[in-house]
Amino acid sequence: MAHTPGVPALSVAEQAALTSGSDFWHTTPIESAGLPAITVTDGPHGVRLQASHDDVLTGQPATCFPPAVATGSTWDPDLLRRMGEALADECRAMDVAVLLGPGINLKRSPLGGRDFEYFSEDPVLTGILATEWVRGLQSRDVGASLKHFAVNSQETDRMRVSADVDERTLRELYLRAFQRVVTQAQPWTVMCAYNKINGVYASQNRWLLTEVLRGEWAYEGLVVSDWGAVGDRVAAVAAGLDLTMPGPADSGDHDLVAAVGDGRLDPELLQTAADRVSALIARSAVRQPGDYDAEAHHELAREIAGRAIVLLKNDGGLLPLAAGDGAQSIAVIGEFARTPRYQGGGSSLMTPTRLDDALTAITAATQATVSFSPGYLTGETAAEEGVAKPDEAAEDADLLAEAVALAQASDVALVFVGSLGETEGSDRTDIDLPAAHRELIERIAAANPRTVVVLSNGGVLATRPWEAGVPAILEGWLLGQAGGSAIADVLFGDVNPSGRLAETIPLKLSDHPSYLDFPGEHGHVRYGEGLYVGYRGFDAREQEVAYPFGFGLSYTTFEYGQATATVTADLGLEVRVPVTNAGDRDGREVVQVYLSLPGSAQQRAPRELKAFANVAIAAGQTVEVVLGIDRADLAYWETRLGRWVVEGGDYHCAVGASSRDLRTTAVVTVTGDHARVPLTADSTVAEWLADPRGAKVLTEAFAAASADGDTPPILGMMADPNLMEFIGSFPLGRMAAFGSGLTPDALQRLLAAAND
Ligand code: BGC
């Protein structure tokens, strides 16, 4: 039996034991073979190392960096790499071999319960950011776990539901970011999802785990199950799953041994899985113990958070606020300013090393008089007040009146509101602010025309119902432990906002492309919008949105010159565009390139993000921004051939500041791949005639038949354009029924000649 050199030879029982955990967070040690246990832990936005044996859901203090909803909005791969490096240092300090992240499923619906843990509705943005996160982490000898592979874009029925997705959509959207990270960063582990994909559990999906992941993408690492995702250990190992977590999984181990014994499982498959676990252990042995500077990491968390905040609205240049000389009075309203919402619930919830709140940070940042009013009750404050349903944001007439009076008496009102209770395990049911928060905004905005709303939320919130009277809005997501300071940095202009939306904010939930098919029923969710996920769908239907994908304001303005595009030596594209900071403040612009192919023979979204660059541009300066697009990113999935194909033609590269603020377009001619779809008896007459070889073979055959004096009526029909409209859609094989003289033998000869 083949055995990987350099890894210990184990008995079948040892192999079975090695391929399941010994407890929640450790692999099984095999002392006789010199294989120690290694520690894996959540992840992804901080190290959540379980504090005590009984307490699965808390962790020792570690830096709580911003969750992916925020890092996705930075559109900055360098920041993600630095965050990965910092996380690795914390893992080294805590003896963690593998950090369970990043989560890179697409935000298919704004209701997705784990949208706060995912980057974007776009696979290119997701893939580029996650690749750098993984590179940063692994550059310091700590392994990543790319999750949840695949199509885990909802929490409803997540352990059973079948995500029913057509193959082109799977390949181009839901698998695309995984493919990018696997091929470019080789994460040490990939975590399979709980759900089924087209009827087959991810953990038992040989097509997914073996054919695609290892066969097509040349993945070299290990596949670990999501916690509790394996129902049938034998089927999982046969499909290509290596490590089942958590453990101990004694009965599963016995199943494996028995299946090898009675021939149901190829012993080589179990050995391969065990070899991969051994290889992971060997790889992690390189890791040196480390230490980290908690203060420096807090500062990094603050920098990332500041770069994640999206300035949605800033009428009349209300922001930034002047740090002032004491002349101003600022009303800080809303409990979230004092008690921040900074991460979501579930397996990623962690214990921060410290926690900044916006109220303290604002007070420290200004000489103005800062006064606070909580405005509403939260779960905790309501419980203290004895409110019956303390988990809901509760309106409180006295608090509301107090907040309104404070707003009236102040120069500026900052209103902190947001969503509640977002957690792994359940999806949201709406995208609305809690009623008490909305009421607060409306009353404060009416009382003070200089009102700034600061949002804290993991999934997008509808803004249109309440934003009319509000001049300025900061989208503050969930920003991690330093978010409070980061908000103050942006409010006072120490950070010029450069965050951009990684997902569309719709006018209302029912506009969303996923709306009619989320979250499915009776164990199935149909991905009915197909390729038209997120902005692709809004654009295809020419729908108005509240704020488009890629959008975000700055305290300065940027002007774009004419873009140019060329084909590179390796047949990708290079787009160049001069961008000028036309204001008087330094800033960062996120330059975005969207491609379209007018006249394409394939169904396509009107435009798709293919490249972006996050560039610092000093006031008054112009920078020539250069953006590369790999040829692989030009390809679509050709279902008839089962492979990626670049369609030739004139590609329009639209460059701008958001998906709906495109300032300049360059057109570039791309030579397509050779991709002939073979003709079959089922190909229509029109398809035969559209294919040069098919047309030649067909016309020659009918011409020869008519020279015999036996003119088949079809030849006359083909010459008549009106009749062709009528018969063009007939499969050639059916033409025999219409007196074409096409015998089965003749058809076979035509097929052979056409496809030769
Ligand atoms: C989650 C994973 C997590 C694992 C371990 C699962 O419930 O889906 O994201 O890494 O638990 O906590």
Side-chain angles (χ1 to χ4, degrees):
M1 192 188 305
H3 176 65
T4 313
V7 293
L10 303 173
S11 69
V12 170
E14 285 171 330
Q15 289 170 2
L18 188 60
T19 57
S20 68
S22 62
D23 63 16
F24 233 81
W25 308 116
H26 297 95
T27 58
T28 302
I30 310 284
E31 271 148 30
S32 57
L35 292 170
I38 58 169
T39 306
V40 303
T41 199
D42 289 307
H45 61 268
V47 186
R48 183 175 72 95
L49 190 64
Q50 193 177 330
S52 80
H53 188 68
D54 313 322
D55 206 353
V56 180
L57 287 180
T58 58
Q60 298 172 24
T63 309
C64 180
F65 289 97
V69 60
T71 55
S73 306
T74 67
W75 292 60
D76 190 336
D78 290 337
L79 273 185
L80 272 285
R81 173 182 267 267
R82 286 168 58 206
M83 178 170 156
E85 290 166 354
L87 286 166
D89 288 346
E90 301 201 13
C91 285
R92 288 160 62 146
M94 291 187 250
D95 199 22
V96 169
V98 175
L99 188 63
L100 301 175
I104 66 163
N105 298 95
L106 286 195
K107 301 184 202 243
R108 175 183 174 233
S109 160
L111 299 179
R114 293 184 92 170
D115 279 5
F116 71 90
E117 282 187 72
Y118 300 147
F119 292 101
S120 175
E121 67 189 21
D122 180 87
V124 169
L125 177 58
T126 298
I128 289 174
L129 296 179
T131 295
E132 289 310 307
W133 189 99
V134 171
R135 283 182 175 151
L137 187 82
Q138 296 191 167
S139 70
R140 302 200 174 170
D141 301 322
V142 175
S145 194
L146 196 65
K147 67 189 188 183
H148 310 86
F149 191 51
V151 212
N152 181 186
S153 289
Q154 71 180 49
E155 292 301 280
T156 304
D157 206 15
R158 66 170 166 158
M159 304 208 44
R160 299 182 309 184
V161 72
S162 173
D164 297 338
V165 201
D166 69 272
E167 189 174 4
R168 184 167 169 209
T169 301
L170 253 183
R171 296 285 193 160
E172 291 186 24
L173 277 302
Y174 295 96
L175 298 184
R176 195 74 182 112
F178 285 97
Q179 179 176 8
R180 183 176 214 108
V181 184
V182 165
T183 54
Q184 298 191 0
Q186 283 287 347
W188 290 10
T189 77
V190 167
M191 185 191 293
C192 80
Y194 285 127
N195 49 281
K196 302 179 190 117
I197 296 133
N198 293 324
V200 183
Y201 277 111
S203 65
Q204 299 177 18
N205 201 316
R206 190 173 185 284
W207 173 80
L208 186 72
L209 303 185
T210 297
E211 291 174 32
V212 173
L213 179 64
R214 297 188 187 281
E216 295 178 26
W217 302 349
Y219 179 56
E220 293 160 6
L222 165 149
V223 179
V224 59
S225 73
D226 199 344
W227 268 230
V230 175
D232 180 338
R233 201 65 192 287
V234 177
V237 170
L241 184 98
D242 303 306
L243 176 61
T244 293
M245 289 300 286
D250 298 340
S251 64
D253 294 355
H254 291 141
D255 289 348
L256 285 178
V257 173
V260 168
D262 63 22
R264 279 179 294 127
L265 180 67
D266 179 351
E268 216 159 311
L269 293 174
L270 177 58
Q271 184 173 309
T272 302
D275 286 353
R276 291 195 189 117
V277 181
S278 304
L280 177 70
I281 294 166
R283 185 170 217 189
S284 64
V286 175
R287 188 184 68 259
Q288 298 296 318
D291 208 356
Y292 71 95
D293 178 344
E295 190 53 38
H297 283 195
H298 184 78
E299 280 311 305
L300 176 61
R302 177 175 177 170
E303 182 185 348
I304 298 170
R307 297 276 301 282
I309 293 167
V310 181
L311 178 63
L312 290 178
K313 191 171 180 182
N314 193 19
D315 291 353
L318 175 53
L319 292 176
L321 304 174
D325 54 6
Q328 248 187 355
S329 55
I330 300 177
V332 175
I333 293 165
E335 185 60 44
F336 287 173
R338 181 171 64 180
T339 313
R341 275 215 69 213
Y342 63 102
Q343 60 177 338
S347 62
S348 68
L349 185 80
M350 54 162 306
T351 307
T353 56
R354 53 186 264 206
L355 182 58
D356 294 355
D357 66 87
L359 177 58
T360 305
I362 290 166
T363 309
T366 179
Q367 294 170 32
T369 313
V370 176
S371 313
F372 174 71
S373 174
Y376 50 83
L377 297 169
T378 64
E380 272 169 33
T381 51
E384 283 160 18
E385 303 277 316
V387 171
K389 284 167 50 186
D391 55 345
E392 287 178 12
E395 194 172 312
D396 180 292
D398 292 343
L399 287 183
L400 191 56
E402 176 195 297
V404 170
L406 179 62
Q408 259 161 357
S410 305
D411 294 324
V412 178
L414 309 177
V415 187
F416 287 76
V417 291
S419 57
L420 304 161
E422 285 155 295
T423 180
E424 174 183 340
S426 63
D427 291 317
R428 297 195 295 166
T429 53
D430 61 54
I431 59 168
D432 302 325
L433 270 176
H437 293 203
R438 191 173 148 182
E439 169 84 11
L440 180 67
I441 294 174
E442 283 164 359
R443 296 282 300 279
I444 299 298
N448 189 327
R450 286 162 55 85
T451 290
V452 180
V453 169
V454 181
L455 296 172
S456 298
N457 49 297
V460 291
L461 292 167
T463 56
R464 195 50 69 93
W466 48 261
E467 70 175 294
V470 176
I473 305 173
L474 281 190
E475 174 52 271
W477 310 121
L478 305 177
L479 290 173
Q481 69 178 47
S485 300
I487 288 168
D489 292 340
V490 170
L491 286 171
F492 293 101
D494 296 324
V495 169
N496 188 350
S498 61
R500 300 288 184 264
L501 292 179
E503 59 194 302
T504 309
I505 304 184
L507 292 180
K508 57 185 188 305
L509 179 63
S510 57
D511 285 349
H512 201 274
S514 63
Y515 179 68
L516 293 177
D517 283 315
F518 185 96
E521 60 177 356
H522 311 317
H524 287 266
V525 51
R526 199 164 59 91
Y527 280 44
E529 74 282 16
L531 297 170
Y532 300 98
V533 178
Y535 68 90
R536 290 167 165 80
F538 288 107
D539 288 350
R541 288 176 169 162
E542 300 178 342
Q543 276 172 298
E544 194 194 339
V545 300
Y547 294 98
F549 177 80
F551 177 84
L553 299 172
S554 164
Y555 295 149
T556 185
T557 52
F558 296 96
E559 287 172 0
Y560 285 65
Q562 175 62 49
T564 55
T566 48
V567 177
T568 57
D570 54 5
L571 303 181
L573 298 181
E574 185 179 272
V575 179
R576 287 175 173 265
V577 63
V579 180
T580 302
N581 180 342
D584 54 9
R585 194 180 265 271
D586 296 351
R588 302 189 77 93
E589 174 69 327
V590 179
V591 179
Q592 303 163 38
V593 181
Y594 294 84
L595 251 58
S596 46
L597 180 58
S600 167
Q602 316 306 323
Q603 257 195 51
R604 287 174 190 263
R607 67 193 73 90
E608 295 184 289
L609 181 76
K610 294 294 175 183
F612 60 92
N614 192 316
V615 275
I617 310 180
Q621 297 296 302
T622 299
V623 169
E624 168 96 346
V625 182
V626 183
L627 304 108
I629 301 173
D630 292 343
R631 185 161 173 95
D633 285 328
L634 300 177
Y636 72 97
W637 182 260
E638 173 52 77
T639 34
R640 294 166 299 178
L641 298 175
R643 66 177 168 89
W644 295 100
V645 169
V646 175
E647 185 179 2
D650 290 342
Y651 283 76
H652 289 218
C653 311
V655 185
S658 88
S659 61
R660 293 202 173 172
D661 182 10
L662 298 164
R663 312 275 184 88
T664 170
T665 298
V667 179
V668 61
T669 304
V670 171
T671 307
D673 293 340
H674 178 71
R676 179 173 180 268
V677 178
L679 291 165
T680 66
D682 237 9
S683 304
T684 63
V685 172
E687 284 163 359
W688 275 79
L689 294 178
D691 179 271
R693 202 158 359 133
K696 184 163 176 282
V697 166
L698 203 58
T699 34
E700 278 173 8
F702 286 131
S706 69
D708 288 346
D710 173 20
T711 308
I714 189 175
L715 201 58
M717 289 173 156
M718 280 161 45
D720 179 339
N722 290 328
L723 275 170
M724 262 311 286
E725 288 283 327
F726 173 51
I727 64 158
S729 65
F730 289 18
L732 192 67
R734 303 275 185 86
M735 291 307 292
F738 298 96
S740 64
L742 201 60
T743 61
D745 281 354
L747 182 61
Q748 285 313 315
R749 282 195 298 277
L750 286 180
L751 283 168
N755 292 326
D756 182 16

